[in-house]
Amino acid sequence: MNKLFAFLFIIPAFASAQNAQLKTTSADSLEAVKVVDFYTKDIADYPNEADGYYQRGHAKITLKDFNGALIDLNKAVSLKINFDRAYVDRGRLKDVLGKYDGAIADYDQAISIKPTAVAYYNRGRTNFILNNLPAALADYDMALALDPKYKNAYIERGQLKKETGDNKGAIADYDAAIAIDANNVDALNARAEAKSAINDAKGAAADFARLLKIAPADAYVIRGRAKYKIKDYSGAVGDYTKAIQSDPQNFIAYFNRALAFDNLGQFTAAIADYTENLKINGAGFSAYEQRGNDYLKTGNYKSAVDDYDKCLSIESVSTRVLFNRAFCKRNLKDYAGAIADYSNVISVDPKNGEAYNNRGFINHLLKNDAAACPDFKKALSLGNKAAVENALHFCR
């Protein structure tokens, strides 16, 4: 027995403009740095004024300093408990960080202070993410009751209806969004998909033709996603390539083309695309993780560790990243580092039998069976099949 057992590669959802909840890339990054500097000085002079923390938090979001932004928004609401806008923005930030229950709590608080369309809309989005569909629908309805021209609320409500099989209702909502913004890419794309679902091929083709005219790169990204979903990975690569030719700064196309390359087993090409995505879009957890996974698959364990390190600097606790980094460290003979990573996985997920088994095996390699055997037994109690043979051979 000289190997570790299965580790997971988790593939994230497609990158898409519609999924973004906060503006995290901007040509105004230099201006954002100036704003941070200005409000840092302002806060030094007026440390008990909530608005300074709020404005600095916004600028940090632009710079992708999400943790720093969260600290500032926390301070803003602690100084001004009825600061409804700060609660909404903190909720949106928590959504980006995957802290959905906290986001819901912030939207609840904002609505209790001042019920706005923006607060209901954002709570609806989070409820949708959490699959609380009736609650999400009620929130979108309230957002539109308060602001009948809220095009994003129509689009999101349409998505919810499409998700539940009400394609005709979805099309009505997309129609409303397009009536407000005739060239809205998200609404045109979603309406084309809904029309396809009800076999309105002519209508779907008309919407796609319109997309090609007004936003060719987006249109090719959309068609590439559709081809990816039916496992036409080569076709998806072709469409994403056209998107990049149309818009060389389209980081979404680079990311999604990388996913398609991954499915074709073309890991070197995927790594190149993740690298381009990171150059254009800046530090991104998913791109680092996926590139790290590809480095791992190709045996470049050192580069994989570097990317996993970057992931964990963005999101300090990710069991799948810790697990894969541990695997790389084990292959680099950094046994202490691997043990530390498996221990961190166990601290977050105490029922992870594979982490116990793998940590036990590394301790066995270090001739520390006194530590290895309890881990094998714990893994065995959690149903890990690999631990059966390890416990049998190494536990006396």
Side-chain angles (χ1 to χ4, degrees), residues 149 151-152 154-155 173-192 195 206-215:
K149 296 292 185 181
K151 65 183 178 185
N152 286 343
Y154 282 115
I155 294 170
D173 275 343
Y174 301 140
D175 287 344
I178 292 165
I180 297 165
D181 178 4
N183 292 329
N184 188 284
V185 171
D186 288 330
L188 284 166
N189 165 51
R191 189 172 70 177
K195 286 178 178 179
D207 279 345
F208 187 76
R210 192 165 161 188
L211 279 169
L212 274 175
K213 185 176 180 179
I214 63 173

Side-chain angles (χ1 to χ4, degrees), residues 89-309:
D89 287 349
R90 190 173 71 172
R92 295 169 66 220
L93 184 54
K94 287 178 181 178
D95 279 330
V96 169
L97 296 171
K99 300 179 179 182
Y100 301 121
D101 290 339
I104 291 287
D106 277 346
Y107 299 137
D108 288 346
Q109 184 68 17
I111 289 167
S112 72
I113 298 166
K114 184 178 181 180
T116 64
V118 170
Y120 278 111
Y121 167 74
N122 281 286
R123 191 174 70 178
R125 285 186 61 112
T126 309
N127 274 318
F128 197 177
I129 290 169
L130 294 172
N131 205 36
N132 297 330
L133 302 187
L137 181 59
D139 281 339
Y140 293 144
D141 288 345
M142 281 299 302
L144 288 165
L146 291 166
D147 182 0
K149 296 292 185 181
Y150 202 157
K151 65 183 178 185
N152 286 343
Y154 282 115
I155 294 170
E156 290 292 329
R157 190 173 71 176
Q159 292 293 86
L160 188 153
K161 289 178 180 178
K162 184 154 67 91
E163 183 87 5
T164 57
D166 180 12
N167 286 294
K168 290 184 178 179
I171 289 169
D173 275 343
Y174 301 140
D175 287 344
I178 292 165
I180 297 165
D181 178 4
N183 292 329
N184 188 284
V185 171
D186 288 330
L188 284 166
N189 165 51
R191 189 172 70 177
E193 290 181 349
K195 286 178 178 179
S196 293
I198 62 170
N199 298 316
D200 180 8
K202 185 177 179 180
D207 279 345
F208 187 76
R210 192 165 161 188
L211 279 169
L212 274 175
K213 185 176 180 179
I214 63 173
D218 289 327
Y220 284 121
V221 166
I222 289 161
R223 194 169 71 179
R225 285 206 306 267
K227 289 180 179 178
Y228 185 101
K229 288 177 182 177
I230 62 171
K231 300 185 179 180
D232 178 10
Y233 302 124
S234 294
V237 166
D239 275 342
Y240 294 138
T241 299
K242 288 177 182 176
I244 291 164
Q245 289 169 346
S246 178
D247 176 10
Q249 296 299 302
N250 195 308
F251 60 90
I252 292 171
Y254 278 112
F255 184 88
N256 288 355
R257 188 173 70 172
L259 290 179
F261 278 135
D262 277 336
N263 280 276
L264 292 168
Q266 298 178 26
F267 303 126
T268 300
I271 287 168
D273 274 356
Y274 290 129
T275 300
E276 286 301 314
N277 172 278
L278 289 162
K279 284 180 183 176
I280 299 166
N281 193 37
F285 181 92
S286 293
Y288 280 128
E289 181 183 15
Q290 291 302 115
R291 190 174 69 174
N293 290 347
D294 285 344
Y295 280 134
L296 188 158
K297 294 171 192 174
T298 55
N300 187 347
Y301 300 121
K302 184 179 184 305
S303 293
V305 168
D306 289 342
D307 274 352
Y308 294 145
D309 287 347

